[in-house]
């Protein structure tokens, strides 16, 4: 009888410890979401076996999916949102990032109806399973449209300066 009581006590203690761990994980998840949202960052995770992508609401907005779109999306649906010219570069970057020690860093455009394309930058790292094989690619996506627009304006100004310098030299 005492052994059964001891076993029952261990089961209850284990359940309480697990409950506390789940609460802590939920607290950390909420903190991470608040930090990412305040930075304007979207979080995502690509399951390398299934090709499914879990994403936050911010990623949904950045990729121009409709409100209420599923939280899990297929890799093909994600690639379908990317500008046709940028798809091969993104696919290559994802493949390369699956090598242990590699980092994903890729910039690409999302066509937005009636507007200039939205520029995004995604960064991520591979997570390995217990056998040391690539399991997930986890990362963050940021909107860099303003930076790209400023870069284009700066390039135009440099070209104008070069043109004026050439005129002055002549």
């Amino acid at each position: 009888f005492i052994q059964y009581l001891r076993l029952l006590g261990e089961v209850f203690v284990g359940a309480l410890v697990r409950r506390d761990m789940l609460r802590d994980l939920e607290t950390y998840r909420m903190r991470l979401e608040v930090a990412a949202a305040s930075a304007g960052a979207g979080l995502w995770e690509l399951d390398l076996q299934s090709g499914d992508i879990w994403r936050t609401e911010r990623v949904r907005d950045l990729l121009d999916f409709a409100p209420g779109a599923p939280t899990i999306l297929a890799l093909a649906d994600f690639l379908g949102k990317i500008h046709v010219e940028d798809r091969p570069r993104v696919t290559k970057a994802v493949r390369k990032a699956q090598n242990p020690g590699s980092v994903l860093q890729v910039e690409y455009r999302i066509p937005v109806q009636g507007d200039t394309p939205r520029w995004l930058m995604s960064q991520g790292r591979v997570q390995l399973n217990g056998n040391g094989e690539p399991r997930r690619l986890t990362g963050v996506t940021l909107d860099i449209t303003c930076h790209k627009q400023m870069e284009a304006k700066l390039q135009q100004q440099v070209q104008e300066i070069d043109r004026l310098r050439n005129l002055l030299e002549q």
Side-chain angles (χ1 to χ4, degrees), residues 63-81:
L63 295 176
D64 204 31
F65 279 104
T71 304
I72 305 293
L73 61 117
L75 182 58
D77 293 336
F78 163 69
L79 291 173
K81 285 291 191 172

Side-chain angles (χ1 to χ4, degrees), residues 18-111:
R18 181 179 172 165
R19 181 199 65 190
D20 291 344
M21 290 175 70
L22 288 173
R23 284 182 181 167
D24 290 345
L25 282 173
E26 181 65 18
T27 300
Y28 292 131
R29 184 188 66 79
M30 290 172 59
R31 288 177 184 166
L32 180 61
E33 285 183 7
V34 167
S38 66
L43 305 176
W44 52 265
E45 183 176 271
L46 168 62
D47 185 314
L48 297 173
Q49 273 67 42
S50 68
D52 290 338
I53 301 173
W54 168 87
R55 51 99 189 135
T56 60
E57 294 298 310
R58 178 67 179 148
V59 172
R60 183 206 69 202
D61 295 341
L62 290 172
L63 295 176
D64 204 31
F65 279 104
T71 304
I72 305 293
L73 61 117
L75 182 58
D77 293 336
F78 163 69
L79 291 173
K81 285 291 191 172
I82 296 174
H83 193 284
V84 175
E85 295 172 4
D86 298 342
R87 287 179 195 163
R89 183 170 16 124
V90 172
T91 303
K92 182 179 176 183
V94 168
R95 250 191 318 246
K96 183 181 174 190
Q98 294 179 31
N99 298 324
S102 295
V103 175
L104 171 76
Q105 184 166 350
V106 63
E107 295 177 359
Y108 51 95
R109 294 169 287 175
I110 302 294

